[in-house]
Amino acid sequence: MNVNGIRTVGLLGAGVLMLLAGGGVTAVGAGAPGLDTRTFTRISCNEKHTAKGGTVWHCFGMTAAQIEAAEEQQRQAREDALRGSYPNLEPVPRTRLTFVDHDGRQDPAEVTATRVGSRWIAHAPGVVGTGAALLAVGAGVAAASVVRLRATRPPAEQR
C-alpha cells in the first residue's frame, strides 16, 4: 500500500470516529434508552461574563429525590428547634446542568438531562444539532475515503 492509501485509511478511521462521536452526542442530547436520564426542577441559572466578552449560563437544578431530602431535612430541623437543639444543617446540594436551553429572560421550569461521567448534559436542540453535524461530516469523510480507496486499487488483472 502506498502513502496515499495509508492516508486514505487514516481518513476512513477519522470518519468512523466522527460517526461514533456524533452518534454518542446525539444519544446524550436526545436521551437514548439505557442512559441515566433524570428530570430536574427548581432550576436556577446565573449569567457569567467571559473574558472574551461573551456570556455563559451556569444552571443548577434538583431531582425529585433531592427535593424530598431537602424537605425532610427542613422538617427535622423544625422538630429539633422545638426541642431546643439547633443542628448544623448543610443544604442539600443542587446538581449542575450543562447546555441548558436558556432564553435569557427566565429560568426553565423543568430540564431533562443525561449523565455523562460526572456531568449532566441537558437535552437541548444545540446538543442534538452538534451530534447530527458530527454524523454528517463523519459520513462524508468515510464515504470519500472509501471512494478514494477504491480508486487507488489496481485493476483485478494486475493483482
Side-chain angles (χ1 to χ4, degrees):
M1 186 178 280
N2 61 14
V3 174
N4 283 335
I6 294 171
R7 286 182 186 157
T8 305
V9 170
L11 277 176
L12 178 63
V16 169
L17 286 175
M18 289 163 100
L19 280 169
L20 291 172
V25 169
T26 302
V28 167
L35 297 176
D36 187 8
T37 301
R38 296 193 182 145
T39 300
F40 294 85
T41 56
R42 297 186 183 177
I43 308 298
S44 63
C45 296
N46 303 314
E47 183 179 17
K48 302 288 182 186
H49 297 284
T50 63
K52 294 181 180 180
T55 58
V56 177
W57 288 97
H58 293 285
C59 298
F60 299 87
M62 297 179 85
T63 63
Q66 287 172 316
I67 292 169
E68 194 175 301
E71 289 172 352
E72 174 61 27
Q73 189 180 49
Q74 289 174 351
R75 185 191 62 75
Q76 188 66 40
R78 283 191 300 272
E79 287 179 7
D80 289 346
L82 289 173
R83 291 187 193 106
S85 62
Y86 297 97
N88 186 9
L89 295 178
E90 293 182 21
V92 174
R94 298 167 61 84
T95 302
R96 178 152 185 208
L97 305 169
T98 306
F99 301 120
V100 172
D101 197 18
H102 197 282
D103 65 2
R105 292 182 295 251
Q106 60 185 9
D107 297 335
E110 178 176 287
V111 171
T112 303
T114 300
R115 182 171 45 182
V116 178
S118 63
R119 302 195 98 182
W120 287 90
I121 309 294
H123 298 180
V127 177
V128 175
T130 301
L134 279 170
L135 282 170
V137 170
V141 168
S145 300
V146 168
V147 168
R148 198 168 158 186
L149 270 176
R150 299 194 99 208
T152 59
R153 288 178 64 189
E157 61 271 359
Q158 291 182 2
R159 284 189 228 155

